Amino acid sequence: MLRNLFLGILFGTVAFAAPASNSPLSAMGAKGSATTLSLPMQIALSLTLMVLLPAALMSITPFLRITIVLHFLRQALGTQSTPSNQVLIGLSMFLSLLILQPMATEIYHTAWEPMDQGKLTASQAFEEGSKPLKTFLAKFAREKDIALFVEVAKTPAPRNASDLGLQVLIPAYILSELKTGFQIGALLFLPFLVIDLVVASVTLSIGMVQLPPVMLSAPFKILLFVLVDGWNLVVGSLVKSFY
């Protein structure tokens, strides 16, 4: 599964960075013949793609929405650094792997395997591998955001989602996921905000002005979250929102 995911993100990153008609592993000569790049150049390109891989993983996968929501949840609970950033990032990463497994498997079977068997060229494999990624991005990108980047890129109006390029779909998906993550985070804040307001009102009414209300409300918020099995509800809702 990890290999499939790596190949899926790699194909998407290359397809976005390079024109669809060109392969990063080959260059066209003056007469249109393919000229294989030298080994040092291939290594340099591979290292560049490896550097871009973490950014792609965080931007064009469910990792973006999940990390935003979990960050808002931790702020709403008022637990400061608990769970730690490493735990939240690890949870987000494995949830993203779970959600992306079908897409990564499809990319592996439709692009990598035929290219490995010599049935497809590298450029054809990149094109085939980007199709499932485009379908995934178009599913969660809002039409308003897509229209914005179609206008910015000055590309012809697409007839359907398959006509959209990754240079339009990727930023549109990121904007859409940011909005969705902030919407979910705001909803998570509301019940805990009510607890903060109630505790603050009670402490002020009895004259406990020296004791910060946050210190009193934190145990009640944690208790409420545990009683309703909050982690199961939040994580389950996040995963189901991608299906």
Side-chain angles (χ1 to χ4, degrees), residues 10-44:
L10 180 61
F11 281 140
T13 304
V14 174
F16 173 69
S21 59
N22 294 330
S23 165
L25 301 179
S26 64
M28 299 303 295
K31 297 182 180 180
S33 59
T35 303
T36 304
L37 294 177
S38 62
L39 182 60
M41 183 61 70
Q42 293 184 28
I43 294 175

PDB file of all heavy atoms in Angstrom, residues 10-44:
ATOM      1  N   LEU A  10       3.674  10.524  -6.711  1.00  0.00           N
ATOM      2  CA  LEU A  10       4.773  10.837  -7.623  1.00  0.00           C
ATOM      3  C   LEU A  10       4.257  11.131  -9.019  1.00  0.00           C
ATOM      4  O   LEU A  10       4.644  12.113  -9.650  1.00  0.00           O
ATOM      5  CB  LEU A  10       5.759   9.675  -7.659  1.00  0.00           C
ATOM      6  CG  LEU A  10       6.973   9.841  -8.586  1.00  0.00           C
ATOM      7  CD1 LEU A  10       7.799  11.039  -8.152  1.00  0.00           C
ATOM      8  CD2 LEU A  10       7.822   8.587  -8.573  1.00  0.00           C
ATOM      9  N   PHE A  11       3.354  10.283  -9.526  1.00  0.00           N
ATOM     10  CA  PHE A  11       2.781  10.520 -10.852  1.00  0.00           C
ATOM     11  C   PHE A  11       2.027  11.842 -10.890  1.00  0.00           C
ATOM     12  O   PHE A  11       2.118  12.606 -11.857  1.00  0.00           O
ATOM     13  CB  PHE A  11       1.830   9.385 -11.224  1.00  0.00           C
ATOM     14  CG  PHE A  11       2.533   8.145 -11.714  1.00  0.00           C
ATOM     15  CD1 PHE A  11       2.083   6.898 -11.343  1.00  0.00           C
ATOM     16  CD2 PHE A  11       3.642   8.224 -12.545  1.00  0.00           C
ATOM     17  CE1 PHE A  11       2.709   5.755 -11.780  1.00  0.00           C
ATOM     18  CE2 PHE A  11       4.281   7.091 -12.989  1.00  0.00           C
ATOM     19  CZ  PHE A  11       3.811   5.838 -12.604  1.00  0.00           C
ATOM     20  N   GLY A  12       1.270  12.135  -9.827  1.00  0.00           N
ATOM     21  CA  GLY A  12       0.525  13.389  -9.815  1.00  0.00           C
ATOM     22  C   GLY A  12       1.431  14.599  -9.791  1.00  0.00           C
ATOM     23  O   GLY A  12       1.182  15.587 -10.481  1.00  0.00           O
ATOM     24  N   THR A  13       2.488  14.536  -8.992  1.00  0.00           N
ATOM     25  CA  THR A  13       3.427  15.658  -8.912  1.00  0.00           C
ATOM     26  C   THR A  13       4.118  15.891 -10.241  1.00  0.00           C
ATOM     27  O   THR A  13       4.250  17.027 -10.707  1.00  0.00           O
ATOM     28  CB  THR A  13       4.476  15.383  -7.828  1.00  0.00           C
ATOM     29  OG1 THR A  13       3.806  15.131  -6.593  1.00  0.00           O
ATOM     30  CG2 THR A  13       5.394  16.570  -7.664  1.00  0.00           C
ATOM     31  N   VAL A  14       4.556  14.812 -10.895  1.00  0.00           N
ATOM     32  CA  VAL A  14       5.243  14.954 -12.181  1.00  0.00           C
ATOM     33  C   VAL A  14       4.296  15.473 -13.240  1.00  0.00           C
ATOM     34  O   VAL A  14       4.641  16.343 -14.048  1.00  0.00           O
ATOM     35  CB  VAL A  14       5.853  13.598 -12.602  1.00  0.00           C
ATOM     36  CG1 VAL A  14       6.429  13.682 -13.995  1.00  0.00           C
ATOM     37  CG2 VAL A  14       6.939  13.199 -11.626  1.00  0.00           C
ATOM     38  N   ALA A  15       3.072  14.967 -13.258  1.00  0.00           N
ATOM     39  CA  ALA A  15       2.110  15.417 -14.259  1.00  0.00           C
ATOM     40  C   ALA A  15       1.774  16.889 -14.090  1.00  0.00           C
ATOM     41  O   ALA A  15       1.499  17.604 -15.050  1.00  0.00           O
ATOM     42  CB  ALA A  15       0.833  14.575 -14.169  1.00  0.00           C
ATOM     43  N   PHE A  16       1.782  17.373 -12.831  1.00  0.00           N
ATOM     44  CA  PHE A  16       1.493  18.785 -12.585  1.00  0.00           C
ATOM     45  C   PHE A  16       2.666  19.671 -12.978  1.00  0.00           C
ATOM     46  O   PHE A  16       2.496  20.766 -13.512  1.00  0.00           O
ATOM     47  CB  PHE A  16       1.154  18.980 -11.107  1.00  0.00           C
ATOM     48  CG  PHE A  16       0.995  20.418 -10.707  1.00  0.00           C
ATOM     49  CD1 PHE A  16      -0.073  21.161 -11.164  1.00  0.00           C
ATOM     50  CD2 PHE A  16       1.923  21.018  -9.875  1.00  0.00           C
ATOM     51  CE1 PHE A  16      -0.219  22.473 -10.794  1.00  0.00           C
ATOM     52  CE2 PHE A  16       1.784  22.334  -9.508  1.00  0.00           C
ATOM     53  CZ  PHE A  16       0.708  23.061  -9.967  1.00  0.00           C
ATOM     54  N   ALA A  17       3.881  19.196 -12.705  1.00  0.00           N
ATOM     55  CA  ALA A  17       5.066  20.016 -12.933  1.00  0.00           C
ATOM     56  C   ALA A  17       5.506  20.034 -14.388  1.00  0.00           C
ATOM     57  O   ALA A  17       6.142  20.977 -14.839  1.00  0.00           O
ATOM     58  CB  ALA A  17       6.220  19.526 -12.056  1.00  0.00           C
ATOM     59  N   ALA A  18       5.184  18.983 -15.139  1.00  0.00           N
ATOM     60  CA  ALA A  18       5.654  18.882 -16.519  1.00  0.00           C
ATOM     61  C   ALA A  18       4.480  18.855 -17.467  1.00  0.00           C
ATOM     62  O   ALA A  18       3.383  18.441 -17.102  1.00  0.00           O
ATOM     63  CB  ALA A  18       6.478  17.601 -16.695  1.00  0.00           C
ATOM     64  N   PRO A  19       4.647  19.330 -18.732  1.00  0.00           N
ATOM     65  CA  PRO A  19       3.583  19.247 -19.712  1.00  0.00           C
ATOM     66  C   PRO A  19       3.188  17.798 -19.949  1.00  0.00           C
ATOM     67  O   PRO A  19       3.995  16.883 -19.809  1.00  0.00           O
ATOM     68  CB  PRO A  19       4.208  19.866 -20.974  1.00  0.00           C
ATOM     69  CG  PRO A  19       5.347  20.687 -20.476  1.00  0.00           C
ATOM     70  CD  PRO A  19       5.857  20.002 -19.250  1.00  0.00           C
ATOM     71  N   ALA A  20       1.938  17.608 -20.353  1.00  0.00           N
ATOM     72  CA  ALA A  20       1.428  16.256 -20.520  1.00  0.00           C
ATOM     73  C   ALA A  20       2.127  15.519 -21.644  1.00  0.00           C
ATOM     74  O   ALA A  20       2.199  14.301 -21.662  1.00  0.00           O
ATOM     75  CB  ALA A  20      -0.086  16.294 -20.793  1.00  0.00           C
ATOM     76  N   SER A  21       2.655  16.237 -22.603  1.00  0.00           N
ATOM     77  CA  SER A  21       3.268  15.599 -23.756  1.00  0.00           C
ATOM     78  C   SER A  21       4.728  15.238 -23.528  1.00  0.00           C
ATOM     79  O   SER A  21       5.348  14.622 -24.379  1.00  0.00           O
ATOM     80  CB  SER A  21       3.183  16.530 -24.969  1.00  0.00           C
ATOM     81  OG  SER A  21       3.843  17.747 -24.690  1.00  0.00           O
ATOM     82  N   ASN A  22       5.287  15.652 -22.390  1.00  0.00           N
ATOM     83  CA  ASN A  22       6.697  15.392 -22.139  1.00  0.00           C
ATOM     84  C   ASN A  22       6.857  14.519 -20.924  1.00  0.00           C
ATOM     85  O   ASN A  22       6.057  14.567 -19.992  1.00  0.00           O
ATOM     86  CB  ASN A  22       7.467  16.707 -21.905  1.00  0.00           C
ATOM     87  CG  ASN A  22       7.503  17.549 -23.155  1.00  0.00           C
ATOM     88  OD1 ASN A  22       7.487  17.021 -24.258  1.00  0.00           O
ATOM     89  ND2 ASN A  22       7.535  18.859 -22.976  1.00  0.00           N
ATOM     90  N   SER A  23       7.900  13.735 -20.904  1.00  0.00           N
ATOM     91  CA  SER A  23       8.235  12.916 -19.744  1.00  0.00           C
ATOM     92  C   SER A  23       9.457  13.505 -19.078  1.00  0.00           C
ATOM     93  O   SER A  23      10.373  13.951 -19.735  1.00  0.00           O
ATOM     94  CB  SER A  23       8.526  11.474 -20.189  1.00  0.00           C
ATOM     95  OG  SER A  23       9.172  10.770 -19.149  1.00  0.00           O
ATOM     96  N   PRO A  24       9.499  13.506 -17.725  1.00  0.00           N
ATOM     97  CA  PRO A  24      10.677  14.035 -17.054  1.00  0.00           C
ATOM     98  C   PRO A  24      11.895  13.162 -17.231  1.00  0.00           C
ATOM     99  O   PRO A  24      12.979  13.542 -16.851  1.00  0.00           O
ATOM    100  CB  PRO A  24      10.244  14.068 -15.584  1.00  0.00           C
ATOM    101  CG  PRO A  24       9.144  13.091 -15.481  1.00  0.00           C
ATOM    102  CD  PRO A  24       8.462  13.096 -16.796  1.00  0.00           C
ATOM    103  N   LEU A  25      11.724  11.960 -17.791  1.00  0.00           N
ATOM    104  CA  LEU A  25      12.851  11.070 -17.980  1.00  0.00           C
ATOM    105  C   LEU A  25      13.379  11.090 -19.395  1.00  0.00           C
ATOM    106  O   LEU A  25      14.291  10.352 -19.742  1.00  0.00           O
ATOM    107  CB  LEU A  25      12.448   9.635 -17.596  1.00  0.00           C
ATOM    108  CG  LEU A  25      11.967   9.461 -16.160  1.00  0.00           C
ATOM    109  CD1 LEU A  25      11.585   8.013 -15.925  1.00  0.00           C
ATOM    110  CD2 LEU A  25      13.038   9.894 -15.181  1.00  0.00           C
ATOM    111  N   SER A  26      12.770  11.900 -20.245  1.00  0.00           N
ATOM    112  CA  SER A  26      13.238  11.948 -21.629  1.00  0.00           C
ATOM    113  C   SER A  26      13.083  13.346 -22.171  1.00  0.00           C
ATOM    114  O   SER A  26      12.252  14.111 -21.716  1.00  0.00           O
ATOM    115  CB  SER A  26      12.450  10.954 -22.497  1.00  0.00           C
ATOM    116  OG  SER A  26      11.096  11.324 -22.537  1.00  0.00           O
ATOM    117  N   ALA A  27      13.875  13.700 -23.165  1.00  0.00           N
ATOM    118  CA  ALA A  27      13.807  15.007 -23.805  1.00  0.00           C
ATOM    119  C   ALA A  27      13.749  14.791 -25.303  1.00  0.00           C
ATOM    120  O   ALA A  27      14.329  13.850 -25.828  1.00  0.00           O
ATOM    121  CB  ALA A  27      15.035  15.847 -23.433  1.00  0.00           C
ATOM    122  N   MET A  28      13.020  15.685 -25.995  1.00  0.00           N
ATOM    123  CA  MET A  28      12.839  15.547 -27.418  1.00  0.00           C
ATOM    124  C   MET A  28      13.973  16.246 -28.152  1.00  0.00           C
ATOM    125  O   MET A  28      14.349  17.370 -27.824  1.00  0.00           O
ATOM    126  CB  MET A  28      11.502  16.161 -27.850  1.00  0.00           C
ATOM    127  CG  MET A  28      10.282  15.498 -27.189  1.00  0.00           C
ATOM    128  SD  MET A  28      10.163  13.717 -27.490  1.00  0.00           S
ATOM    129  CE  MET A  28       9.914  13.730 -29.250  1.00  0.00           C
ATOM    130  N   GLY A  29      14.531  15.552 -29.129  1.00  0.00           N
ATOM    131  CA  GLY A  29      15.589  16.126 -29.930  1.00  0.00           C
ATOM    132  C   GLY A  29      15.046  17.070 -30.973  1.00  0.00           C
ATOM    133  O   GLY A  29      13.849  17.329 -31.061  1.00  0.00           O
ATOM    134  N   ALA A  30      15.908  17.579 -31.809  1.00  0.00           N
ATOM    135  CA  ALA A  30      15.495  18.561 -32.811  1.00  0.00           C
ATOM    136  C   ALA A  30      14.568  17.958 -33.831  1.00  0.00           C
ATOM    137  O   ALA A  30      13.706  18.625 -34.381  1.00  0.00           O
ATOM    138  CB  ALA A  30      16.737  19.143 -33.494  1.00  0.00           C
ATOM    139  N   LYS A  31      14.714  16.659 -34.114  1.00  0.00           N
ATOM    140  CA  LYS A  31      13.884  16.019 -35.124  1.00  0.00           C
ATOM    141  C   LYS A  31      12.729  15.247 -34.494  1.00  0.00           C
ATOM    142  O   LYS A  31      12.078  14.453 -35.147  1.00  0.00           O
ATOM    143  CB  LYS A  31      14.733  15.072 -35.966  1.00  0.00           C
ATOM    144  CG  LYS A  31      15.827  15.784 -36.750  1.00  0.00           C
ATOM    145  CD  LYS A  31      16.597  14.798 -37.606  1.00  0.00           C
ATOM    146  CE  LYS A  31      17.692  15.504 -38.408  1.00  0.00           C
ATOM    147  NZ  LYS A  31      18.464  14.547 -39.245  1.00  0.00           N
ATOM    148  N   GLY A  32      12.449  15.480 -33.205  1.00  0.00           N
ATOM    149  CA  GLY A  32      11.318  14.838 -32.563  1.00  0.00           C
ATOM    150  C   GLY A  32      11.636  13.481 -31.991  1.00  0.00           C
ATOM    151  O   GLY A  32      10.760  12.801 -31.493  1.00  0.00           O
ATOM    152  N   SER A  33      12.886  13.038 -32.022  1.00  0.00           N
ATOM    153  CA  SER A  33      13.242  11.737 -31.484  1.00  0.00           C
ATOM    154  C   SER A  33      13.516  11.865 -29.998  1.00  0.00           C
ATOM    155  O   SER A  33      14.050  12.862 -29.528  1.00  0.00           O
ATOM    156  CB  SER A  33      14.484  11.191 -32.202  1.00  0.00           C
ATOM    157  OG  SER A  33      15.564  12.078 -32.037  1.00  0.00           O
ATOM    158  N   ALA A  34      13.139  10.840 -29.252  1.00  0.00           N
ATOM    159  CA  ALA A  34      13.324  10.866 -27.805  1.00  0.00           C
ATOM    160  C   ALA A  34      14.777  10.623 -27.456  1.00  0.00           C
ATOM    161  O   ALA A  34      15.399   9.697 -27.953  1.00  0.00           O
ATOM    162  CB  ALA A  34      12.450   9.800 -27.140  1.00  0.00           C
ATOM    163  N   THR A  35      15.319  11.465 -26.593  1.00  0.00           N
ATOM    164  CA  THR A  35      16.700  11.337 -26.152  1.00  0.00           C
ATOM    165  C   THR A  35      16.707  11.100 -24.655  1.00  0.00           C
ATOM    166  O   THR A  35      16.214  11.924 -23.898  1.00  0.00           O
ATOM    167  CB  THR A  35      17.493  12.610 -26.481  1.00  0.00           C
ATOM    168  OG1 THR A  35      17.401  12.859 -27.873  1.00  0.00           O
ATOM    169  CG2 THR A  35      18.945  12.438 -26.069  1.00  0.00           C
ATOM    170  N   THR A  36      17.236   9.979 -24.227  1.00  0.00           N
ATOM    171  CA  THR A  36      17.250   9.650 -22.814  1.00  0.00           C
ATOM    172  C   THR A  36      18.189  10.577 -22.062  1.00  0.00           C
ATOM    173  O   THR A  36      19.294  10.853 -22.509  1.00  0.00           O
ATOM    174  CB  THR A  36      17.694   8.192 -22.612  1.00  0.00           C
ATOM    175  OG1 THR A  36      16.830   7.343 -23.361  1.00  0.00           O
ATOM    176  CG2 THR A  36      17.621   7.813 -21.147  1.00  0.00           C
ATOM    177  N   LEU A  37      17.751  11.062 -20.928  1.00  0.00           N
ATOM    178  CA  LEU A  37      18.577  11.947 -20.121  1.00  0.00           C
ATOM    179  C   LEU A  37      19.728  11.169 -19.498  1.00  0.00           C
ATOM    180  O   LEU A  37      19.646   9.960 -19.281  1.00  0.00           O
ATOM    181  CB  LEU A  37      17.729  12.583 -19.021  1.00  0.00           C
ATOM    182  CG  LEU A  37      16.621  13.542 -19.471  1.00  0.00           C
ATOM    183  CD1 LEU A  37      15.838  14.018 -18.279  1.00  0.00           C
ATOM    184  CD2 LEU A  37      17.205  14.724 -20.230  1.00  0.00           C
ATOM    185  N   SER A  38      20.802  11.857 -19.194  1.00  0.00           N
ATOM    186  CA  SER A  38      21.956  11.219 -18.572  1.00  0.00           C
ATOM    187  C   SER A  38      21.608  10.773 -17.153  1.00  0.00           C
ATOM    188  O   SER A  38      20.661  11.278 -16.541  1.00  0.00           O
ATOM    189  CB  SER A  38      23.134  12.193 -18.542  1.00  0.00           C
ATOM    190  OG  SER A  38      22.811  13.327 -17.757  1.00  0.00           O
ATOM    191  N   LEU A  39      22.398   9.856 -16.634  1.00  0.00           N
ATOM    192  CA  LEU A  39      22.150   9.325 -15.288  1.00  0.00           C
ATOM    193  C   LEU A  39      22.205  10.411 -14.215  1.00  0.00           C
ATOM    194  O   LEU A  39      21.333  10.446 -13.328  1.00  0.00           O
ATOM    195  CB  LEU A  39      23.145   8.201 -14.989  1.00  0.00           C
ATOM    196  CG  LEU A  39      22.985   7.513 -13.623  1.00  0.00           C
ATOM    197  CD1 LEU A  39      21.601   6.886 -13.503  1.00  0.00           C
ATOM    198  CD2 LEU A  39      24.073   6.471 -13.432  1.00  0.00           C
ATOM    199  N   PRO A  40      23.186  11.319 -14.219  1.00  0.00           N
ATOM    200  CA  PRO A  40      23.175  12.393 -13.205  1.00  0.00           C
ATOM    201  C   PRO A  40      21.913  13.249 -13.259  1.00  0.00           C
ATOM    202  O   PRO A  40      21.379  13.639 -12.212  1.00  0.00           O
ATOM    203  CB  PRO A  40      24.425  13.210 -13.544  1.00  0.00           C
ATOM    204  CG  PRO A  40      25.327  12.250 -14.242  1.00  0.00           C
ATOM    205  CD  PRO A  40      24.419  11.354 -15.034  1.00  0.00           C
ATOM    206  N   MET A  41      21.417  13.533 -14.501  1.00  0.00           N
ATOM    207  CA  MET A  41      20.206  14.332 -14.611  1.00  0.00           C
ATOM    208  C   MET A  41      18.997  13.575 -14.065  1.00  0.00           C
ATOM    209  O   MET A  41      18.125  14.159 -13.401  1.00  0.00           O
ATOM    210  CB  MET A  41      19.966  14.711 -16.076  1.00  0.00           C
ATOM    211  CG  MET A  41      18.755  15.613 -16.283  1.00  0.00           C
ATOM    212  SD  MET A  41      18.891  17.191 -15.410  1.00  0.00           S
ATOM    213  CE  MET A  41      20.193  17.973 -16.373  1.00  0.00           C
ATOM    214  N   GLN A  42      18.917  12.270 -14.340  1.00  0.00           N
ATOM    215  CA  GLN A  42      17.821  11.473 -13.804  1.00  0.00           C
ATOM    216  C   GLN A  42      17.862  11.448 -12.282  1.00  0.00           C
ATOM    217  O   GLN A  42      16.817  11.546 -11.618  1.00  0.00           O
ATOM    218  CB  GLN A  42      17.899  10.046 -14.355  1.00  0.00           C
ATOM    219  CG  GLN A  42      17.639   9.943 -15.850  1.00  0.00           C
ATOM    220  CD  GLN A  42      17.627   8.502 -16.320  1.00  0.00           C
ATOM    221  OE1 GLN A  42      17.298   7.598 -15.568  1.00  0.00           O
ATOM    222  NE2 GLN A  42      17.991   8.280 -17.569  1.00  0.00           N
ATOM    223  N   ILE A  43      19.072  11.340 -11.705  1.00  0.00           N
ATOM    224  CA  ILE A  43      19.197  11.345 -10.248  1.00  0.00           C
ATOM    225  C   ILE A  43      18.764  12.694  -9.682  1.00  0.00           C
ATOM    226  O   ILE A  43      18.066  12.769  -8.662  1.00  0.00           O
ATOM    227  CB  ILE A  43      20.650  11.019  -9.843  1.00  0.00           C
ATOM    228  CG1 ILE A  43      20.998   9.576 -10.240  1.00  0.00           C
ATOM    229  CG2 ILE A  43      20.840  11.213  -8.340  1.00  0.00           C
ATOM    230  CD1 ILE A  43      22.444   9.218  -9.997  1.00  0.00           C
ATOM    231  N   ALA A  44      19.166  13.782 -10.348  1.00  0.00           N
ATOM    232  CA  ALA A  44      18.792  15.120  -9.887  1.00  0.00           C
ATOM    233  C   ALA A  44      17.277  15.310  -9.925  1.00  0.00           C
ATOM    234  O   ALA A  44      16.676  15.851  -8.988  1.00  0.00           O
ATOM    235  CB  ALA A  44      19.485  16.183 -10.738  1.00  0.00           C
TER     236      ALA A  44
END
